[in-house]
């Protein structure tokens, strides 16, 4: 059994990875190699991130690819405009 | 049943006791269960084989008799077979429940009754289906024993009663012991299996309560929000109605029980108004409520409770044990919940702290916002939405980064946050809020305070108040990290804007006494900025070099006296001055890049924009050659760009954007046509437009430099221009006109 | 291939080698050993495209992390994240098989990204990784498909390939299917130095400047110096002329030669043989029909000097007789009568009169009608000045005289032994000169190094080797 904190650590590592490399396109096995983690836990973490819609998941199983979904950004919200 | 407890040692003791009492009373004594089944071997009889031989006949005979005695509590005297043939029958009770065993003692013949017995027609010819051998046994017992006095009868009655009592005591303790062992075994088994299968605490509780006989219905309620409890689990007859019901602190029995650190118990509650809660659920005849709080230290998490009905089929064998057990269970669950809660936070704190080094090093405000939004989703129990609102400037604009929020709801909420937290001029507070008044579910809002103001807010959706309470700390740690990183970015910007402001003041101060230099330094700074936009250096570099340009009149040692502010600029100015004075003592490459770029920028600035010859002659001692050639290209492209802009402004109302490429092609063709250039001259001009030098042109076209010069002279003459800058401008003019 | 406008790589020098650039949609193999800067090359191609030509690009990396690349490239002043924000660049990392899958898929991720930013340029780092996916036949098919996809979208692309000399005898198949091959190498140069070279081995649809060219990493990326010296000149000395030293290898170090109107110092130590070096420089001037003024040193008589120059196939005596060569002589030495009129004798001239005497003799010559169009070259032996007139005189006279001559466009080479004149004087002279060529003997070799030049370039030390034919020395 994998400790929950390990999955969360990996979730956060993956999040940081994609924030730092926003145009990375990764499979769970590819990313697990980059991060030096087990493929199984990496996949678990990636799927959770996809559920949170931090990542976009294409395909299923081992061939599924993940990429970062940029959050919704508004750089100039005018406070004085009408809602 | 009870008789099953008469095992081994216990059975032997009982048999011995029976033999002793039989001898004492001179009676035939045996014990049956309520089925009439013989439990002990009859005492005071030489040959008991008849009991074995007619076991089933006798059993039904005794059963008939026992059935008549349903519910007896005391020893009675009963006639059997023939009136006057009397037996003492004493019930042996283990608890309040129905009598389990019966002690039989016989045969008593009261004074003056023997004659009527033996003359009774049944005496010789019995009606009942009793076996003849048994009848014979009784006849011989009657003949041998004779009549007894009333005193003797009382004595015998007392002794048999005593025996029944002794038996009852023995059985009771043995029964309890067995029940307890059974209960413990069952508990043990439950705990082992539940633990090993990793079932949640609810399942374990359910299993433990299901095997308890303390009450008829059990329930398990947990706190789901401050002051609010929900029954998660219930079991027993009619208990389903309780599942999912909610009660509040202080409300009804259950609500009062959660306020007490001790177990609570109420009996005979049928008229109590607090009973309403159960009656509503269809539980009409609740007689007793027992409650055991689930808590750890001062924190109440929930309640275990049991309900008993008026008529209990089986009363609890060992209520103290059950109460203690369930109390412990409550404490255990409390402990477990505390542990789980801590574990849940620890599971997140650990990674957050492990990654904090990487998180803290982010140096871009937008990436900090991305990080806060994404990480907060990783940290809450049920991630759904998160938003960071940041106000960087003093105008009415804010920046927002969000996930899980739809536009325009997100913007509306962001504005709401900004008005509530970012506008407020009061003393800023870094305390978090739970806000239920949002377009989304519950939002936990964290003001991010630095430099004495609330500058940003992190808001994260939580599914309920309880979750909000639980993940408050961890999110607060994240928000704290965010404030540290944002502060460092802010400080850097502050530092930059301070140094910019100061550089401009110094620059303004020279306007009075040297307007020419004032203009020159301003132009140089502008060139440096354009050089950065063109891609020659980064924006950050350009900012520093630009400031150095503005302050180039200032004594570098004076600049160094501002702690930490202008160290780089001072060095650049010194280098620039060295280069400018052509005192290349250090040899090339020893000057800072900034100093070298300043030298180039000033060279161009002092030559004025339109003098392209400066570009070709650009050669400054102490400036890296690669940098010079890059600068040349930049100035050339800048020149053409300016030409374009001028023309666009003058001629074309609709601005037309031009690429160097397109301009080149169209302009060239037009020039070639208009001035009748030869194909070779066209090739030369094409290269001139690309800023090639004569050497380059010579190399490219495999002609001598001399020939290039000749071609150029011809081209310039044909076009009526005097130098290459004018020629290039003409090509671009044509491309537009 | 249809003749279209070449795509400028934007890498300084490379477009010159390629006579303009790469054909649009071409797939170019960029190969090199580790450390040759393939990533920088590739990225510079994209950055230049994005910034200067408005051609967005995609960098696909299989092994390196984008964040590493972002970091590494800030050293060249490239803010890649900013370019991404402007949708002019994407640095994508993925595994080779995923790339292939997404490329082959209609409307796959690759196509999406290409359309998203209007991509024109692509770099794949590196196609060697495709060798890990499938067998030789698959690899061939895969690389072939990728090349076709690039062509279909007219994406001008660099495919980076790891290269090692020992990688096998057979020619990699990519060489046949790609449009061009650019090879980066690190060549050993003496023991301590290494030279970076770039060579275009093939480029369909354009002429190329053949051979190996030097390149360097400078503050804003890669900078290639095309090996043809005349191409090199233009970057370094632009329009101004250079005077060849007569030694090709030395000319290379000097970016073509000694710039006209500059002062160059040749610093020798006592053991070093500078005779051929100086003679070569001098005889080249005669050969180029320049006019010369030479200060004779104490240990070489004019006749001996003239004979040495003969070895280089030019006649000093003839030049002198045409009034194109003059000699300043501090020593009372007899010479062949034919040369006497070219001698300016200063053996009786005091320090105070020296400058005046010299100017009176030389100025009319410099300014006379038939010679003023000529280039003048002055060789000055400072050792003689110091021994005959003293250090103080040199310090007073030298800078003033040199700047006057320079203003006349005269090129000057002075010779001196720094070690013997003291650091203060030496550093004064070094400052006053535009260039310094140092030669010295260390162990069994004589070395030469350009330690200062107007272009700012400083060379590595080279060994001077003797050769049988003129100019009798060459640099190795």
């Amino acid at each position: 059994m994998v400790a929950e904190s390990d999955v969360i650590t990996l979730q956060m590592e993956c999040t940081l990875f994609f924030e730092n490399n926003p145009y990375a396109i990764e499979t769970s096995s590819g990313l697990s190699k980059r991060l030096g983690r087990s493929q199984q836990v990496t996949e678990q973490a990636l799927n959770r991130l996809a559920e949170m819609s931090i990542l976009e998941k294409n395909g299923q199983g081992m061939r599924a690819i993940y990429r970062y979904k940029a959050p919704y950004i508004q750089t100039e919200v005018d406070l004085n405009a009408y809602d | 049943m009870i008789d099953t407890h008469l095992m081994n040692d216990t059975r032997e003791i009982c048999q011995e006791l029976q033999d002793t009492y039989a001898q004492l009373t001179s009676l035939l004594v045996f014990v049956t269960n309520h089925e009439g089944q013989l439990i002990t071997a009859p005492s005071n009889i030489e040959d008991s084989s008849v009991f074995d031989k007619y076991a089933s006949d006798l059993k039904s005979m005794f059963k008939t008799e026992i059935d008549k005695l349903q519910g007896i509590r005391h020893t009675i005297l009963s006639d059997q077979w023939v009136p006057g043939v009397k037996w003492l029958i004493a019930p042996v009770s283990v608890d309040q429940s129905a009598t389990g065993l019966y002690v039989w003692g016989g045969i008593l013949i009261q004074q003056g009754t023997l004659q009527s017995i033996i003359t009774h027609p049944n005496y010789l010819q019995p009606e009942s289906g009793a076996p003849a051998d048994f009848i014979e046994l009784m006849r011989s017992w009657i003949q041998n024993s004779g009549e007894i006095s009333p005193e003797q009868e009382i004595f015998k009655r007392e002794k048999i009663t005593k025996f029944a009592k002794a038996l009852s005591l023995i059985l009771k303790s043995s029964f309890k012991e067995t029940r307890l062992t059974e209960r413990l075994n069952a508990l043990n088994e439950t705990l082992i299996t539940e633990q090993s299968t990793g079932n949640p605490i609810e399942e374990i509780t359910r299993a433990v309560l299901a095997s308890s006989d303390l009450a008829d219905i059990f329930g398990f309620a947990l706190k789901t929000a401050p002051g609010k409890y929900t029954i998660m689990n219930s079991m027993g007859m009619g208990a389903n109605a309780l599942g999912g019901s909610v009660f509040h602190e202080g409300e009804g029995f259950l609500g009062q029980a959660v306020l007490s650190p001790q177990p609570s118990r109420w009996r005979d509650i049928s008229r109590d108004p607090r009973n309403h809660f159960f009656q509503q659920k269809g539980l009409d005849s609740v007689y007793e409520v027992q409650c055991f709080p689930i808590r750890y230290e001062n924190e109440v998490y929930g309640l275990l409770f049991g309900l008993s009905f008026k008529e209990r089929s089986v009363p609890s064998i060992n209520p103290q044990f059950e109460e203690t057990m369930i109390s412990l269970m409550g404490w255990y669950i409390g402990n477990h919940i505390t542990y789980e809660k801590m574990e849940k936070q620890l599971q997140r704190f650990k990674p957050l702290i492990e990654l904090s080094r990487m998180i803290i090093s982010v140096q871009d405000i937008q990436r900090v916002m991305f990080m806060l939004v994404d990480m907060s989703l990783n940290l809450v129990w049920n991630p759904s939405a998160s938003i960071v609102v940041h106000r960087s400037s003093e105008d009415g604009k804010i920046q927002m980064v969000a996930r899980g929020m739809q536009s325009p709801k997100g913007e509306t909420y962001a504005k709401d946050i900004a008005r509530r937290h970012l506008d407020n001029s009061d003393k800023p507070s870094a305390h978090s809020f739970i806000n239920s008044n949002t377009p989304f579910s519950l939002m936990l809002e964290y003001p991010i305070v630095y430099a004495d103001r609330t500058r940003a807010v992190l808001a994260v959706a939580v599914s309920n108040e309880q979750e909000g309470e639980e993940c408050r700390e961890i999110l607060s740690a994240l928000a704290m990290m965010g404030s540290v990183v944002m502060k460092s970015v802010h400080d850097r910007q502050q530092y930059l804007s301070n140094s910019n402001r100061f550089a401009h003041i110094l620059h303004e101060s020279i306007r009075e006494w040297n307007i020419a230099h004032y203009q020159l330094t301003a132009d140089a700074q502008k060139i440096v900025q354009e050089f950065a936009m063109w891609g020659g250096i980064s924006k950050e570099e350009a900012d520093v070099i630009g400031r150095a340009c503005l302050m180039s009149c200032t004594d570098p040692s004076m600049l160094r006296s501002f702690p930490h502010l202008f160290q780089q600029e001072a060095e650049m100015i010194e280098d620039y001055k060295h280069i400018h004075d052509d005192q290349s003592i250090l040899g090339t490459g020893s000057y800072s890049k900034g100093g070298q770029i300043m030298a180039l920028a000033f060279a161009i600035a002092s030559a004025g924009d339109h003098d392209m010859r400066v570009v070709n002659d650009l050669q400054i001692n102490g400036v890296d050659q690669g940098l010079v050639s890059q600068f040349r290209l930049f100035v050339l492209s800048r020149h053409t760009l300016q030409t374009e802009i001028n023309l666009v402004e003058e001629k074309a109302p609709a601005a037309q954007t031009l690429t160097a490429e397109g301009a080149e092609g169209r302009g060239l063709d037009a020039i070639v046509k208009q001035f009748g250039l030869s194909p070779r001259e066209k090739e030369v001009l094409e290269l001139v437009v690309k800023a090639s030098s004569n050497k380059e042109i010579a190399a490219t076209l495999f002609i001598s430099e001399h020939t290039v010069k000749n071609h150029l002279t011809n081209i310039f003459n044909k076009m009526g221009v005097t130098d290459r800058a004018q020629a290039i401008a003409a090509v671009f003019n044509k491309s537009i006109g | 291939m249809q003749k279209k406008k070449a795509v400028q790589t934007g890498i300084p020098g490379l477009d010159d080698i390629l006579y303009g650039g790469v054909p649009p949609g071409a797939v170019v193999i960029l190969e090199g050993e580790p450390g040759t800067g393939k990533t920088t090359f590739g990225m510079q191609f994209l950055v230049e495209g994005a910034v200067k030509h408005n051609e967005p690009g995609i960098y696909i990396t299989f092994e390196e992390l984008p964040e590493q690349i972002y970091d590494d490239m800030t050293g060249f002043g490239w803010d890649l994240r900013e370019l991404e924000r402007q949708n002019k660049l994407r640095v994508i990392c993925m595994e080779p098989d995923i790339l292939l899958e997404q490329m082959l898929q209609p409307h796959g991720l690759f196509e999406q990204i290409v359309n998203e930013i209007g991509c024109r340029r692509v770099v794949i780092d590196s196609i060697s990784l495709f060798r890990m996916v499938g067998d030789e036949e698959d690899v061939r098919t895969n690389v072939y498909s990728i090349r076709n996809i690039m062509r279909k979208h007219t994406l001008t692309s660099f495919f980076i390939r790891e290269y090692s000399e020992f990688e096998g005898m057979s020619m990699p198949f990519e060489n046949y299917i790609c449009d061009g091959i650019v090879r980066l190498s690190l060549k050993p140069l003496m023991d301590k130095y290494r030279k970076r070279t770039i060579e275009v081995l093939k480029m369909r649809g354009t002429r190329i400047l053949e051979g190996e060219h030097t390149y360097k990493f400078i503050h804003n990326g890669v900078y290639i110096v095309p090996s043809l010296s005349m191409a090199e000149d233009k970057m370094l000395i632009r329009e101004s002329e250079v005077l060849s030293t007569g030694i090709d290898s030395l000319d290379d170090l000097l970016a073509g030669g000694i710039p006209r109107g500059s002062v160059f110092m040749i610093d020798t130590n006592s053991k070093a043989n500078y005779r051929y070096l100086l003679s070569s420089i001098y005889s080249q001037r005669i050969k180029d029909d320049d006019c010369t003024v030479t200060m004779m040193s104490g240990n070489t008589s004019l006749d001996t000097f003239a004979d040495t120059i003969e070895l280089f196939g030019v006649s000093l005596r003839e030049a002198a007789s045409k009034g194109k060569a003059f000699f300043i002589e501090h020593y009372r030495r007899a010479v062949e009568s034919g040369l006497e009129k070219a001698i300016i004798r200063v053996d009786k001239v005091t320090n105070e009169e020296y400058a005046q005497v010299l100017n009176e003799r030389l100025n009319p010559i410099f300014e006379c009608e038939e010679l003023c169009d000529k280039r003048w070259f002055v060789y000055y032996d400072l050792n003689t000045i110091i021994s005959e007139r003293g250090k103080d005189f040199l310090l007073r006279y030298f800078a003033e005289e040199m700047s006057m001559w320079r203003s006349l466009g005269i090129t000057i080479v002075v010779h001196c032994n720094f070690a013997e004149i003291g650091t203060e004087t030496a550093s004064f002279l070094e400052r006053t000169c535009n260039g310094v060529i140092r030669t010295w003997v260390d162990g069994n070799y004589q070395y030469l190094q350009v330690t200062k030049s107007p272009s700012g370039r400083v060379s590595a030390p080279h060994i001077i080797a003797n050769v049988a034919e003129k100019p009798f020395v060459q640099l190795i």
Side-chain angles (χ1 to χ4, degrees), chain A residues 21 25 27 34 63 65, chain C residues 62-63 67 93 95 101-102:
Chain A
N21 304 286
I25 294 168
T27 59
R34 289 196 195 276
R63 303 294 296 169
I65 53 180
Chain C
F62 296 141
E63 284 183 311
E67 55 182 312
C93 71
E95 287 162 90
E101 198 175 286
Q102 292 299 326

Side-chain angles (χ1 to χ4, degrees), chain B residues 322-463:
Chain B
E322 292 297 327
E323 281 169 25
T324 312
M325 226 267 312
I326 295 173
S327 272
L328 272 174
M329 196 70 205
W331 181 80
Y332 168 72
I333 299 170
N335 234 326
H336 188 88
I337 292 176
T338 306
Y339 170 79
E340 265 199 332
K341 222 172 79 172
M342 308 257 285
E343 177 68 13
K344 226 170 178 177
Q345 296 189 348
L346 264 179
Q347 281 162 357
R348 287 158 172 86
F349 265 114
K350 250 170 61 190
L352 186 64
I353 284 163
E354 272 175 35
L355 297 177
S356 61
R357 195 173 42 83
M358 284 188 253
I359 293 171
I360 292 270
S361 65
V362 179
Q363 274 302 331
D364 170 282
I365 203 82
Q366 190 173 304
R367 287 179 63 207
V368 178
M369 292 170 78
F370 275 36
M371 186 268 289
L372 285 174
V373 164
D374 289 346
M375 287 303 163
S376 66
L377 290 178
N378 275 302
L379 292 175
V380 293
W381 306 172
N382 302 296
S384 69
S386 174
I387 181 170
V388 177
V389 179
H390 172 246
R391 181 173 202 169
S392 50
S393 57
E394 294 305 320
D395 61 15
K397 300 260 172 64
I398 51 167
Q399 247 178 311
M400 61 169 274
V401 170
R403 268 194 203 283
M405 289 188 179
Q406 298 292 314
S407 176
K409 272 188 184 173
E411 278 93 334
T412 311
Y413 178 51
K415 285 181 199 174
D416 175 48
I417 289 181
R419 288 198 192 101
R420 281 184 291 116
H421 298 289
L422 304 182
D423 265 354
N424 116 34
S425 49
D426 302 342
K427 202 173 160 42
S429 153
H431 289 296
S432 56
F433 303 77
I434 287 201
N435 184 355
S436 54
N437 189 22
T438 75
F440 310 96
S441 55
L442 277 181
M443 297 297 290
L444 254 180
E445 296 176 1
Y446 291 85
I448 293 176
V449 177
Y450 56 87
D452 298 327
R453 280 199 57 185
T454 304
R455 308 269 173 173
V457 176
L458 165 68
V460 187
V462 287
S463 46

Side-chain angles (χ1 to χ4, degrees), chain C residues 21-185:
Chain C
V22 181
V27 171
V28 180
I29 303 277
L30 178 61
E31 66 176 16
E33 289 160 67
T36 46
K38 299 182 291 295
T39 300
T40 310
F41 249 89
M43 195 52 88
Q44 193 166 359
F45 168 65
L46 299 184
V47 169
E48 293 286 337
V51 173
K52 308 232 171 92
H53 303 285
N54 196 26
E55 294 190 354
I58 299 177
Y59 193 98
I60 298 166
T61 160
F62 296 141
E63 284 183 311
E64 197 76 64
L65 279 186
E67 55 182 312
Q68 188 63 49
I69 297 177
Y70 298 135
D71 265 15
D72 293 347
M73 296 301 141
T74 53
F76 298 114
W78 300 335
D79 189 347
L80 304 185
R81 289 186 199 273
E82 180 56 33
L83 288 176
E84 287 192 332
R85 229 166 268 168
Q86 297 170 9
N87 278 335
K88 286 185 170 177
L89 181 73
R90 289 283 183 272
V91 184
I92 297 175
C93 71
M94 58 167 101
E95 287 162 90
D97 51 335
I98 299 289
L99 172 68
L100 205 63
E101 198 175 286
Q102 292 299 326
M103 272 186 160
L104 296 174
Q105 201 175 310
H107 311 294
L109 280 180
F110 180 75
E111 209 172 309
Q112 280 178 34
I113 299 166
V114 165
N115 293 334
E116 205 171 285
I117 62 169
C119 178
R120 308 294 334 130
R121 302 179 177 207
V122 172
V123 173
I124 297 180
D125 183 5
S126 69
I127 55 160
S128 307
L129 268 284
F130 278 111
R131 297 206 181 271
M132 311 288 174
V133 191
D135 58 29
E136 181 73 15
E137 192 50 41
D138 286 344
V139 177
R140 186 183 277 265
T141 318
N142 291 344
V143 175
Y144 186 70
S145 315
I146 294 178
R147 185 207 71 176
N148 291 343
I149 289 164
M150 295 297 157
R151 283 198 185 161
K152 188 176 88 187
H153 296 285
T154 329
L155 298 168
T156 311
S157 34
F158 279 11
F159 287 3
I160 291 176
R161 183 172 68 195
E162 301 299 331
Y163 171 79
S164 144
E165 300 264 11
F166 313 104
E167 86 178 0
M169 292 302 127
S170 67
M171 181 88 82
F173 66 88
E174 298 102 17
N175 288 13
Y176 299 104
I177 60 173
C178 69
D179 301 305
I181 303 166
V182 173
R183 179 180 295 167
L184 305 178
S185 326

Side-chain angles (χ1 to χ4, degrees), chain B residues 534 619 627 630 693 696 702, chain C residues 51 207 219-220 234 238:
Chain B
W534 181 76
Q619 158 81 12
L627 192 59
Q630 196 194 7
S693 69
E696 279 174 285
F702 288 104
Chain C
V51 173
R207 281 196 292 159
H219 62 276
N220 60 343
K234 71 154 195 239
R238 309 153 332 274

Side-chain angles (χ1 to χ4, degrees), chain B residues 364 366-367 533-538 540-541 583-585 588 593 615-621 623-627 629-630 632 661 664 690 693-696 698-700 702 705 724, chain C residues 5-6 8 16 19-20 51-53 55 76-79 81 85 207 209 218-220 223 228 230-231 233-242 431 434 452-458:
Chain B
D364 170 282
Q366 190 173 304
R367 287 179 63 207
M533 272 157 65
W534 181 76
I537 44 175
S538 72
E540 286 72 26
E541 282 177 298
Q583 296 175 346
S584 18
I585 313 168
T588 321
K593 186 178 166 193
V615 176
N616 286 330
D617 293 342
L618 203 57
Q619 158 81 12
I620 300 170
N621 262 356
V623 178
D624 179 80
Q625 203 51 46
L627 192 59
S629 58
Q630 196 194 7
R632 269 198 321 148
E661 245 167 58
E664 222 177 273
K690 281 183 190 156
S693 69
N694 290 356
K695 288 268 179 195
E696 279 174 285
T700 311
F702 288 104
E705 223 181 307
R724 43 179 76 207
Chain C
K5 202 175 155 27
Q8 291 180 28
D16 298 321
Y19 288 93
V51 173
K52 308 232 171 92
H53 303 285
E55 294 190 354
F76 298 114
W78 300 335
D79 189 347
R81 289 186 199 273
R85 229 166 268 168
R207 281 196 292 159
L209 204 51
I218 59 171
H219 62 276
N220 60 343
Y223 182 93
L228 266 195
M230 61 178 175
D233 293 346
K234 71 154 195 239
M235 303 311 278
L236 301 177
I237 16 205
R238 309 153 332 274
E239 307 302 309
S240 79
E241 294 171 84
V242 290
R431 281 205 304 277
N434 305 102
K452 179 180 177 180
S453 73
S455 66
R457 293 165 91 225
V458 172

Side-chain angles (χ1 to χ4, degrees), chain B residues 289-322:
Chain B
V289 181
Q290 297 180 77
C291 297
F292 306 88
I294 296 172
R295 57 191 300 136
Y296 182 77
E297 306 214 316
N298 292 323
E299 182 80 31
V300 181
Y301 296 119
L303 201 63
L304 292 174
F305 60 89
L307 307 176
S308 307
F309 298 116
K310 224 175 260 170
E311 304 294 335
R312 293 214 57 199
S313 53
V314 185
S316 181
I317 296 293
N318 198 338
Q320 286 88 355
F321 171 79
E322 292 297 327

